[in-house]
Amino acid sequence: MQAATLADLPRYPAIGGTCLIALGIFAIASPEQVEPLTLDLRAFWAEPWRLLTSALLHAAQLQSERFFEGLAHVGFNCYWLWKLGVPIEQRLGHLRTLGLLVLFAIGGSLLEYAFTGPAVGLSGVVYGLVALLWVLGKRAPSWRGLIDKRTAQFFVFWFGFCVVATLTDVMPIANFAHAGGALFGGLLGWAIGERGSRRAGAVAAIVASLGACVLAATLARPWINLSERAGLDAMVLAQRAMDEGDVAQAIAWAERGVVYRRTPANHWAYLSWLYFVSERHPEARAALAEALRRDPDNSEYAQLLAHYDALAAAMD
C-alpha cells in the first residue's frame, strides 16, 4: 500500500483530524480558552471529557514561556501519529481508528493521573499505536512490516530516556501516560489478532484494565500516588471556589486535596484557614496541627497553633 502524504489528509479524518485539532489548539488558543479542556479532579465528577481533551493540549497553552518546548512536543507527536496511524486507518476505517485513539488517550490520562497528576499531549496515544502495530505484526501476517525494528527500538529507548529525565528532574514527562497508551495498544493488538473465545478474552482484559485504571485514578489514588503535587488541582479548585465566595465548596475541594501521603504542609494550612473562616474551629486546629507535623520548623504554624490552644484554654 502506497505511503500517504499530507495531500492525502482528507482521506484520513481520524488521524489527520486529530493532528489538525492539536496543532490548531496549539497555534491559536490561549490558556484561558483551553482551561475547560485540561485534566483535573472535575473529570471524575461532572466533566469526563477532560480525560480525552487533555491529550490534545501541549505545553505552550499552559505556560507561554515554554513555547518552543510545546512546539517540539506537538510536532513530534503529530509526526508519529500520522506516520503510524495512517496505515491503521487504511485497514480499520475511520470510526474504529477514532475509537482506538480515544481508548489510548483516556487510558494514558487515567494512569498518569493515578500515579502522578494531570498530563497533556498525544504521547500516550503514540505509544498506543506503537504497541498496537508491534503486537499485530507478531500475530497477524497482514499487519507485518508496518512498524520496523528500528522504530520500535527507538520508542523503547525514548521511554527509558523519558523515565531517567523525570527521575533526575531534567524534565517532567508523562511516563505513566506512555505506559498506559502502550498497555491498551498491546491489549487491543492482541484482541484484533485473535478469533472467537480468545478475542472475547482479550476484550475482557481491555475492559478490566480500563476499570482498574479508573479505580487507580479515583478510590485508590490516595494510597498509590506519592507525588507532592497529587492534590494541587483540588487546591486550585478550592481557591477558585473561595474567590467566588463559596466557602462550603472550597472546603469540599480542599478536603479532597489533602488525602495524599505527601500532601505539602501549606495545603493543610490552607484547609485550616478555610475551616477557620467557616467557624469550624476544632477542625481548623486539627488541620493546622497536621501542617505543623509536616513542616515542624515553620514558626508561623507553631505560633498560630499556640494561639488556638490559648484561645481554647481561655474559653474553658
Side-chain angles (χ1 to χ4, degrees), residues 235 254-255 257-275 283-295 301:
M235 304 310 290
E255 287 176 337
V258 298
V259 297
Y260 303 96
R261 296 185 184 183
R262 298 186 65 193
T263 297
N266 63 316
H267 288 188
W268 279 101
Y270 183 67
L271 177 59
S272 174
W273 178 74
L274 292 175
Y275 282 144
E283 291 159 291
R285 188 208 179 278
L288 187 59
E290 180 62 25
L292 184 60
R293 188 186 73 81
R294 291 172 183 253
D295 186 5
Y301 296 164

Side-chain angles (χ1 to χ4, degrees), residues 41-293:
L41 193 57
R42 289 172 291 182
F44 304 97
W45 293 87
E47 302 177 10
W49 66 81
R50 293 175 180 271
L51 288 166
L52 175 61
T53 56
S54 59
L56 297 170
L57 308 180
H58 293 77
Q61 294 93 18
L62 306 182
Q63 297 183 31
S64 58
E65 66 271 17
R66 296 170 60 188
F67 174 81
F68 290 105
E69 178 187 330
L71 181 62
H73 190 192
V74 69
F76 178 90
N77 286 340
C78 287
Y79 169 79
W80 285 109
L81 189 67
W82 178 260
K83 185 176 178 63
L84 299 171
V86 164
I88 295 173
E89 191 164 354
Q90 288 172 338
R91 288 161 175 76
L92 296 183
H94 311 314
L95 290 180
R96 289 174 180 168
T97 301
L98 183 61
L100 65 86
L101 295 179
V102 170
L103 174 65
F104 299 160
I106 291 176
S109 293
L110 284 170
L111 208 61
E112 185 69 30
Y113 189 80
F115 286 97
T116 58
V120 296
L122 288 163
S123 302
V125 175
V126 171
Y127 267 93
L129 299 179
V130 171
L132 173 68
L133 290 175
W134 187 82
V135 171
L136 277 172
K138 298 291 184 182
R139 304 183 68 85
S142 62
W143 288 82
R144 286 175 188 160
L146 295 182
I147 184 169
D148 56 59
K149 184 177 180 181
R150 180 175 297 179
T151 300
Q153 289 175 338
F154 165 75
F155 276 98
V156 171
F157 164 79
W158 187 249
F159 184 89
F161 172 82
C162 290
V163 171
V164 172
T166 301
L167 293 176
T168 56
D169 292 327
V170 172
M171 182 185 301
I173 297 173
N175 298 297
F176 285 102
H178 295 175
L183 167 67
F184 286 101
L187 289 174
L188 189 60
W190 172 32
I192 293 173
E194 293 290 357
R195 295 291 184 271
S197 60
R198 290 187 176 182
R199 173 173 286 183
V203 171
I206 294 173
V207 173
S209 296
L210 192 59
C213 287
V214 172
L215 180 64
T218 53
L219 297 179
R221 192 170 187 254
W223 288 273
I224 65 175
N225 192 311
L226 302 181
S227 170
E228 291 184 351
R229 297 172 60 84
L232 181 59
D233 59 331
M235 304 310 290
V236 170
L237 293 172
Q239 181 62 61
R240 289 177 184 170
M242 196 62 186
D243 291 342
E244 294 169 0
D246 192 342
V247 181
Q249 185 60 62
I251 290 175
W253 285 125
E255 287 176 337
R256 297 185 185 108
V258 298
V259 297
Y260 303 96
R261 296 185 184 183
R262 298 186 65 193
T263 297
N266 63 316
H267 288 188
W268 279 101
Y270 183 67
L271 177 59
S272 174
W273 178 74
L274 292 175
Y275 282 144
F276 180 80
V277 169
S278 61
E279 299 184 353
R280 295 166 61 174
H281 298 298
E283 291 159 291
R285 188 208 179 278
L288 187 59
E290 180 62 25
L292 184 60
R293 188 186 73 81

